[in-house]
Amino acid sequence: MISDQYAGYNSINVDFAWITGKSDLSIRTWERGLEGETLACGTGAVASAICAANIHKMCLPLNITVRSGRILKVGKSSHGWWLQGEARTVYEGVLESPPNEDLTVAL
């Protein structure tokens, strides 16, 4: 994919999804900000599941294979849509603010 350097904040995330089984999808996600393909996107997985269920009448819950090869499970309950998948810490850090500095910014 080619990113438009002039799109800036007007760019969007794009998901490409295809049906791979009765309750299975695969998706690939191009993420703005990253300006490239991401390994997984929970929002994209849920959006793809909603489309697959509503348009293609697929059986829920759906198993969605993402670029990393991991499988996300998406379904719907009486409380709304849900997403299940592995969660891992990929980075830890400490943010220390300088003394006597106001970090708020007026917009």
Side-chain angles (χ1 to χ4, degrees):
M1 290 199 124
I2 299 173
S3 177
D4 184 347
Q5 65 178 329
Y6 302 106
Y9 289 110
N10 295 323
S11 64
I12 60 172
N13 291 357
V14 178
D15 291 288
F16 301 91
W18 59 99
I19 298 169
T20 57
K22 181 179 171 187
S23 292
D24 303 302
L25 292 178
S26 287
I27 67 168
R28 304 278 293 265
T29 302
W30 181 267
E31 191 170 334
R32 88 175 203 175
L34 175 64
E35 295 307 322
E37 188 174 6
T38 188
L39 295 176
C41 179
T43 304
V46 174
S48 297
I50 291 170
C51 290
N54 290 332
I55 296 169
H56 298 289
K57 309 301 183 208
M58 291 187 72
C59 299
L60 297 173
L62 296 179
N63 297 306
I64 302 178
T65 304
V66 294
R67 178 73 171 124
S68 68
R70 306 264 187 224
I71 296 175
L72 303 177
K73 188 170 280 208
V74 179
K76 187 176 183 183
S77 71
S78 60
H79 299 288
W81 289 90
W82 53 265
L83 169 67
Q84 180 182 15
E86 179 184 0
R88 307 187 261 164
T89 301
V90 294
Y91 183 81
E92 289 186 23
V94 175
L95 175 64
E96 296 180 12
S97 64
N100 300 323
E101 263 194 55
D102 184 5
L103 297 178
T104 60
V105 177
L107 297 177

